[in-house]
Amino acid sequence: MSEQSPASGPLGNLAGGPHDPEHDATAAYALDRGYVAGLTRRIVSSTGRTAPVWSPVGGIPLAHLPQSSPADVAEAFARARRAQVAWARTSLDERSAALLRLHDVVLDRQEELIDLVVWESGKARKDAYLEVAHVALTARYYARTAHEHLDTRRVGGMFPVLTRTEVNRVPKGVVGVISPWNYPLTMALCDGLPALLAGNAVVAKPDAQVMLTALLGAQMLEEAGFPAEIWQVVAGPGPEVGGAVVAEADYVAFTGSTATGRAIARQCADRLVGCSLELGGKNPMLVLRDADVHRAAEGAVRAVFSNAGQLCVSMERLYVADQVYDRFVDAFVSRTRAMTLGASLDWSVDMGSLISQQQLDTVTRHVEDAVAKGARVLTGGNARPDLGPFVFEPTILEGVTADMECFGTETFGPVVSLYRFHSEDEAVERANDGLYGLNASIYTRDTRRGRELARRVRCGTVNVNEAYAATFGSLGAPMGGMRESGMGRRQGPEGVHRYTESQSVAVQRLLPIAPVMGMSEEVNAKVMTGALRLLNKLGRA
Ligand code: NAD
């Protein structure tokens, strides 16, 4: 267990908070061999091989996970394909009802889910709760909008009365969902929910570090009434097992790094199957001169340090107007110093641990590189082994320049660079710098101006007077990246349509689309031209 006593340091109030004995009891059952075995039996595995996983909360061993081979992946797809045929015949109302039951199951069992998420990822409990909320929101949104997105739709036929045309939404078949470790529950489940709604089955390959949460999610799907076989889970190293998923899937929903996304896109292109790629970012926040400085500083703390910065939509670049720069920096730094850090299941933690040594190494390297090249640390800057093996302080840097690694490369940790700007045009231009385009945030009292500026920012989501939650929590709004932050969108209509083929069915009545009653092709062309002119006059599409 990590040291939980209050610690002194540059941040002042760095208390991990004592362990709640009630949660220690929960931890004991989380590590109970029977409980773990109940979850891991869902992994399709015939290899006899296992891989150990440890918790970032104190480095405690959590489980030995059965590993899948490419042959197991093929078996998972075979099972999913069989199950999908029957599933696709169920009614949309039945599938929506299962989603609504899932909504209740995850809310009812949130304590267990949150405990497991924290054990596996080391994040703060409040960040784990948001995963539960996001699954519930997603399930409810797609259940309630199922008919709007998926019902067969009548469209104008070639000729009124004669041609009756409609468009069906046909499921793709079996969708591969490959997910990262940073949001163990929501990333493992949420992309799959609209796939199920549309009549597909899923083969899920969650990240190796967070399999138990993904397996608990799969168990909850079954509890909610989804047939067990339509959600298969495989486990193992990304290139081998993830690659085998991409080799079999009818569509791939991938969330992870840009490098892996690119490899998956190539593999999908070879097979001519579609994919959605939710990738990395280097997200900018703009604080305009008319911003409410305290609101912006409070927003910046959440924008930068939620989930210890291991959040695709969190901010790593902060551009602040000259006029408010000093006041904003004072407020932001003092709020950051007041944060409570720790690796614990306790609600009192504001910012939790990084997930792994690898993450800690990247964050440490980015900060050390920046400092060595002349950046100034306004607060933070150090690992905190006294609080947990992978805890790193929330860190604010000034004077970051283009030669530093953290300037344009995603850190994916609790580190932000502050920059001053003189004009809004310059701020937008600098926000649009670089390769990524995932999420942006604008703080201003003039929300109309904020919305206008948003249109010029090349990011898939832009939040005004909020960091990321406003767009991410608006399930009707598509979410995804421009440029190297991805392809395709989750959420909204696009989030479910990606899992369907549109199929057009037209019925021709009374007259054929061809010359009739011995009419020559020449006369037919004249009649047709007259008809086209008439339809145009009538304003037909
Ligand atoms: P990663 O690309 O290393 O791994 C993601 C998943 O892909 C894991 O399950 C992994 O096992 C698997 N994988 C790895 N190589 C593979 C391959 N060759 N073929 C198939 N699967 C493979 O990413 P990560 O480090 O786990 O996640 C962090 C990254 O994810 C960050 O860049 C972050 O910004 C991004 N992310 C993006 C979003 C979004 O919505 N845009 C959300 C969360 C995380």
Side-chain angles (χ1 to χ4, degrees):
M1 199 64 54
S2 62
E3 171 57 54
Q4 300 299 325
S5 59
S8 59
L11 295 174
N13 177 26
L14 287 180
H19 259 227
D20 176 349
E22 230 179 87
H23 281 124
D24 278 345
T26 314
Y29 91 72
L31 299 172
D32 176 84
R33 287 178 62 166
Y35 178 78
V36 169
L39 294 174
T40 58
R41 72 178 166 74
R42 284 172 181 274
I43 299 174
V44 183
S45 167
S46 61
T47 60
R49 282 188 281 119
T50 60
V53 268
W54 286 272
S55 172
V57 182
I60 304 166
L62 281 182
H64 287 265
L65 296 168
Q67 298 292 285
S68 312
S69 64
D72 292 322
V73 174
E75 171 60 20
F77 271 91
R79 291 181 197 175
R81 282 193 196 292
R82 284 193 295 274
Q84 190 265 335
V85 175
W87 179 244
R89 286 201 206 105
T90 59
S91 72
L92 208 46
D93 288 337
E94 247 174 272
R95 292 180 232 151
S96 303
L99 279 180
L100 289 177
R101 285 193 297 271
L102 178 72
H103 173 275
D104 292 344
V105 171
V106 294
L107 292 182
D108 291 347
R109 289 180 58 189
Q110 58 179 282
E111 290 300 319
E112 182 185 356
L113 279 166
I114 293 172
D115 283 343
L116 206 46
V117 167
V118 176
W119 277 118
E120 286 202 304
S121 67
K123 67 175 62 185
R125 201 167 184 82
K126 68 180 176 54
D127 293 325
Y129 171 74
L130 290 182
E131 301 208 39
V132 172
H134 190 245
V135 173
L137 277 169
T138 306
R140 175 160 54 83
Y141 168 76
Y142 279 115
R144 300 263 195 246
T145 56
H147 286 287
E148 179 189 320
H149 299 315
L150 295 171
D151 276 352
T152 292
R153 190 168 48 93
R154 184 94 183 260
V155 297
M158 182 172 175
F159 293 112
V161 185
L162 301 183
T163 320
R164 182 190 199 279
T165 307
E166 59 193 23
V167 180
N168 298 323
R169 289 281 176 185
V170 179
K172 295 245 179 191
V174 181
V175 172
V177 175
I178 302 179
S179 52
W181 45 262
N182 64 329
Y183 276 75
L185 178 67
T186 189
M187 288 293 132
L189 276 194
C190 282
D191 279 319
L193 300 182
L196 296 183
L197 180 74
N200 299 277
V202 166
V203 173
K205 198 222 80 68
D207 188 273
Q209 299 163 93
V210 292
M211 287 296 302
L212 295 176
T213 306
L215 290 162
L216 182 55
Q219 193 184 82
M220 290 183 181
L221 284 170
E222 196 180 337
E223 265 179 57
F226 290 97
E229 295 283 295
I230 60 161
W231 189 277
Q232 302 287 329
V233 183
V234 292
E240 187 194 345
V241 175
V245 169
V246 181
E248 298 262 357
D250 301 315
Y251 185 88
V252 178
F254 171 76
T255 307
S257 63
T258 295
T260 308
R262 201 173 263 121
I264 287 177
R266 276 195 289 264
Q267 211 184 334
C268 286
D270 269 351
R271 296 191 51 235
L272 293 178
V273 298
C275 58
S276 56
L277 306 170
E278 304 290 349
L279 310 178
K282 188 77 188 172
N283 306 308
M285 175 168 156
L286 275 53
V287 181
L288 306 189
R289 64 173 180 274
D290 70 342
D292 175 335
V293 165
H294 291 284
R295 186 172 175 191
E298 189 210 308
V301 169
R302 273 179 292 111
V304 176
F305 303 122
S306 289
N307 214 38
Q310 303 167 118
L311 170 60
C312 56
V313 287
S314 65
M315 301 294 156
E316 297 195 359
R317 301 181 288 152
L318 246 160
Y319 299 95
V320 186
D322 251 346
Q323 295 85 341
V324 291
Y325 187 89
D326 294 331
R327 279 194 297 132
F328 172 80
V329 171
D330 282 351
F332 181 35
V333 168
S334 69
R335 278 181 158 79
T336 302
R337 287 196 174 132
M339 290 174 77
T340 304
L341 306 190
S344 155
L345 282 93
D346 201 279
W347 277 105
S348 68
V349 170
D350 291 326
M351 193 186 94
S353 173
L354 298 170
I355 194 171
S356 64
Q357 185 66 44
Q358 194 185 338
Q359 280 297 106
L360 182 65
D361 290 347
T362 307
V363 170
T364 307
R365 194 181 70 243
H366 277 204
V367 172
E368 284 178 354
D369 168 73
V371 170
K373 290 172 180 160
R376 293 175 299 284
V377 177
L378 300 189
T379 187
N382 299 297
R384 292 297 298 268
D386 54 319
L387 297 176
F390 313 128
V391 176
F392 197 95
E393 292 169 346
T395 300
I396 304 175
L397 300 176
E398 220 181 23
V400 169
T401 49
D403 58 329
M404 300 174 191
E405 208 176 342
C406 69
F407 180 82
T409 311
E410 185 183 41
T411 305
F412 216 51
V415 182
V416 68
S417 309
L418 290 182
Y419 306 95
R420 199 184 270 273
F421 72 80
H422 309 291
S423 77
E424 285 172 9
D425 285 344
E426 176 206 349
V428 169
E429 197 177 307
R430 288 165 72 188
N432 286 338
D433 249 9
L435 303 173
Y436 294 114
L438 190 58
N439 179 45
S441 163
I442 300 173
Y443 273 80
T444 172
R445 281 197 171 90
D446 183 349
T447 54
R448 188 171 161 193
R449 175 94 188 107
R451 285 186 286 121
E452 273 166 19
L453 276 187
R455 295 174 73 90
R456 293 167 50 197
V457 175
R458 300 274 299 145
C459 286
T461 49
V462 184
N463 294 271
V464 177
N465 294 333
E466 231 299 318
Y468 53 81
T471 51
F472 207 80
S474 301
L475 269 290
M479 185 265 160
M482 295 186 188
R483 300 182 283 168
E484 294 198 9
S485 288
M487 268 173 31
R489 297 289 183 266
R490 58 163 59 104
Q491 307 192 166
E494 291 160 72
V496 62
H497 286 163
R498 63 186 157 158
Y499 301 126
T500 64
E501 299 281 7
S502 20
Q503 179 198 49
S504 304
V505 177
V507 178
Q508 186 63 20
R509 294 183 288 207
L510 304 172
L511 293 174
I513 306 175
V516 284
M517 294 176 288
M519 191 185 278
S520 71
E521 289 288 355
E522 191 180 355
V523 173
N524 183 57
K526 286 197 174 112
V527 171
M528 178 95 169
T529 302
L532 290 173
R533 290 194 201 287
L534 177 66
L535 290 173
N536 188 30
K537 277 215 177 78
L538 294 174
R540 289 268 305 192

